[in-house]
Structures are given as C-alpha cells and as structure tokens.
C-alpha cells in the first residue's frame, strides 16, 4: 500500500470550505484565490485517489469518501495547530483571568482552553462565564485580563472588534409559522432577566413592527433560556453560537417576524500591550470565533 502525505494546506481549504458551505468563502477566509483553492482540492483528490466531492445543484456535496476524509482532516488540522502553538511558545508560563459570555462557554472552554492548557502546561487560566454587564464591570475593575463579550453600550479602554454576527429569532426544532403563535395573542418571548442587550433588541423590533408580545420566561442563565425555548414556552433572540440540536432559527419573513440587526463581538484587554501569555490566548480566541 502506497504511503501518502496529505497536504495540510489542501486539507485546510477542504475543511474550511465544507464548514462555510462555500469554497469561494473559504478562499476569502484563507486569503487565497478561488483558483488556488480549486487546485488544492484537485491535489487532495489526487493524493486520496478517490473523488471527495460531487455536484449537488449549484454547489458541492461530499461523497462517502469525502465524509471520511473530512473527519480526518479536522483531526489532523487540530493536532497540527496544537503542535504549532506548543513549539512556538515552549516554556510559556503565567496566569490569565479570562471572561467569556455564556454563548461561548460550552464551546470555547473545552475546545480552545483545553488545547491551550495542553500546549502550555505552565499557564494557569482562571475562567469566568457570565453575562456581558458582569464581564465589562470586571474588566473596568481590573478583575479580568481578557474578556470576550457582545458589544453593548459600555466600552473599555483596550477593546477590539472581532466581528459582527447576525441575530436570529430562535424557536423549538418543530416550530412552524402555523404553530408559532395565535395571531390574536401576544408573541410569547423567552429572554434573559433585564438588563439584556438582545432582549432590548427583540422587544424594540417587535414594538416597531406593531407585534404585541409578552414575556413567558426569564432567567439569568442561558442554559435555562435554551431549555425554555426547547420546551415550547416561546421564542428568543440570539446568534447561532451555542445553538442546541433541539432548537432552530426562524427566518423572519417566513414567520412574519421583524428583521433583526447584527451584533458586534469584542475582545477586551486589561492592558494596551498584554504579556505574551495573554496575547497568545487572545489570538487563539479570536481565531476560534472567526473559524
């Protein structure tokens, strides 16, 4: 059996293209031309000796071999990136106090922070998962070194915009326009306890559209909000981050709901020039949410 050394750049283009649902978007993300990405995909198929992609309508879909390859590609890239991080900062140590908005706690804590801790065993990370207002307050009070939050009304001295993400109406997986609500009754709404940026955006959008609403469930916990929506108590407004399998996004036009804006995601730093440990963790967080 011939030994094949798969090209990691080709694997990355393949994995990112499937994740984004478009190889043109993958080219933009990876700062390559679309023709370069196409050449990498052809090279990967040549190396594999099988067809990985097939035409599906106007797009591409995975073949059975492609599904197998995608799983291995993700594992190989994760190990490659972990190795690069470990070798590039061997002997790194220190202590970082990190704050994460709840939307990112379930994903970033085990994945990003786990990988970072394995690569830098000398670094101790103290993580706090909380709501925006608490995290911003802790940043201003000097109780956190880094914090990843949604962009609200209060800024901090050393914050950078990571990106903007579409807000979505979210309901239970089985929601349909017919089952969502009785048009003679106010829209049932599930939300965080006030004050909450996304709760305010939701209620103001409904008020502008002349759609009556009522709060059917409030909580200080995102997990409780997801559970209430999944149980059919109402709809909520969040981004797709952390969306659970028993929930779905509700297209505004299809469900006769008002369009929603995008919301900014920001990374706060306690210092203008953080130490190497903070800088590396900040870069890893930034890359993970942009992926």
């Amino acid at each position: 059996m011939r030994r094949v050394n798969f090209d990691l750049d080709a694997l990355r283009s393949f994995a990112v293209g499937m994740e984004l649902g478009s190889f043109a978007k993958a080219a933009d993300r990876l700062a390559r031309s679309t023709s370069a990405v196409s050449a990498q995909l052809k090279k990967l198929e040549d190396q594999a000796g099988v067809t990985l992609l097939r035409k599906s309508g106007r797009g591409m879909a995975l073949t059975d071999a492609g599904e197998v390859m995608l799983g291995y590609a993700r594992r190989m890239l994760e190990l490659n990136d972990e190795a690069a991080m470990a070798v590039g900062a061997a002997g790194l140590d220190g202590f970082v106090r990190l704050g994460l908005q709840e939307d990112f706690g379930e994903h970033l804590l085990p994945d990003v922070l786990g990988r970072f801790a394995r690569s830098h065993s000398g670094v101790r990370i103290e993580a706090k998962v909380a709501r925006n207002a608490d995290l911003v307050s802790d940043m201003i009070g000097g109780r956190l070194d880094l914090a990843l939050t949604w962009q609200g009304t209060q800024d901090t001295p050393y914050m950078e915009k990571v990106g903007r993400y579409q807000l979505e109406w979210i309901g239970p997986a089985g929601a349909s326009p017919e089952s969502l609500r009785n048009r003679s009754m106010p829209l049932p709404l599930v939300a965080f306890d006030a004050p909450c940026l996304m709760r305010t955006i939701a209620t103001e959008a409904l008020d502008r559209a002349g759609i009556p609403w009522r709060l059917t469930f409030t909580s200080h916990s995102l997990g409780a909000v997801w559970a209430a929506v999944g149980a059919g108590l109402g709809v909520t407004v969040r981004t797709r981050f952390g969306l659970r399998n028993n929930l779905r996004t509700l297209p505004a036009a299809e469900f006769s709901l008002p369009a929603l804006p995008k919301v900014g995601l920001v990374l706060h730093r306690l210092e203008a020039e953080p130490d190497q440990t903070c800088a590396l963790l900040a870069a890893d967080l930034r890359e993970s949410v942009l992926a």
Side-chain angles (χ1 to χ4, degrees):
M1 179 179 180
R2 68 188 179 108
R3 292 187 180 275
V4 177
N5 294 318
F6 288 111
D7 183 281
L8 285 173
D9 284 336
L11 287 172
R12 195 177 300 277
S13 293
F14 175 57
V16 173
M18 295 311 302
E19 180 182 348
L20 297 179
S22 165
F23 289 106
K25 291 180 180 178
D28 184 59
R29 169 74 59 81
L30 297 171
R32 297 190 178 103
S33 66
T34 53
S35 60
V37 169
S38 296
Q40 287 181 324
L41 296 174
K42 178 64 168 61
K43 178 179 181 179
L44 188 60
E45 289 191 322
D46 290 343
Q47 289 180 326
V50 294
T51 301
L52 302 176
L53 297 163
R54 59 178 175 80
K55 286 190 175 295
S56 177
R58 295 185 177 180
M60 303 294 288
L62 292 170
T63 62
D64 290 344
E67 290 184 2
V68 174
M69 177 61 82
L70 182 59
Y72 279 105
R74 287 168 173 163
R75 290 162 57 188
M76 292 166 69
L77 291 167
E78 181 177 358
L79 187 59
N80 174 82
D81 295 347
E82 186 175 321
M85 182 186 296
V87 172
L92 191 69
D93 58 14
F95 173 59
V96 182
R97 300 166 300 172
L98 172 67
L100 291 174
Q101 221 285 337
E102 282 193 271
D103 300 71
F104 306 99
E106 291 186 9
H107 163 58
L108 293 185
L109 277 176
D111 294 348
V112 178
L113 300 190
R115 183 173 66 246
F116 193 90
R118 290 192 300 272
S119 301
H120 311 298
S121 58
V123 176
R124 186 162 67 92
I125 300 174
E126 181 182 284
K128 176 178 181 178
V129 178
R131 295 175 60 182
N132 263 37
D134 294 335
L135 296 177
V136 172
S137 175
D138 283 344
M139 287 298 308
I140 294 173
R143 294 180 291 275
L144 291 173
D145 300 301
L146 292 171
L148 189 66
T149 74
W150 298 115
Q151 186 173 13
T153 57
Q154 190 170 18
D155 294 342
T156 58
Y158 308 115
M159 55 179 269
E160 61 173 295
K161 294 181 180 179
V162 176
R164 292 183 61 78
Y165 298 87
Q166 182 63 52
L167 288 174
E168 307 275 3
W169 294 101
I170 295 173
S176 65
E178 294 73 25
S179 66
L180 177 60
R181 66 188 177 101
N182 184 330
R183 296 297 172 174
S184 64
M185 300 290 291
L187 178 73
L189 196 62
V190 173
F192 270 123
D193 297 329
C196 170
L197 172 67
M198 296 181 190
R199 168 175 167 165
T200 299
I201 290 173
T203 56
E204 288 182 350
L206 291 169
D207 288 342
R208 286 194 299 271
I211 298 175
W213 54 272
R214 63 187 178 94
L215 285 169
T216 55
F217 182 90
T218 63
S219 175
H220 66 279
S221 162
L222 181 58
V225 168
W226 287 146
V229 175
L233 298 185
V235 300
T236 194
V237 167
R238 305 298 296 178
T239 67
R240 294 174 183 262
F241 280 112
L243 189 64
R244 297 184 175 178
N245 292 334
N246 64 334
L247 306 174
R248 61 162 295 191
T249 59
L250 310 176
E254 180 183 345
F255 282 79
S256 300
L257 292 168
L260 295 169
K262 291 184 177 181
V263 63
L265 182 66
V266 294
L267 185 63
H268 306 266
R269 303 187 309 274
L270 182 61
E271 300 175 345
E273 298 294 337
D275 61 26
Q276 184 185 16
T277 304
C278 276
L280 281 172
L281 181 56
D284 204 25
L285 289 169
R286 191 185 304 109
E287 181 179 340
S288 297
V289 296
L290 288 174

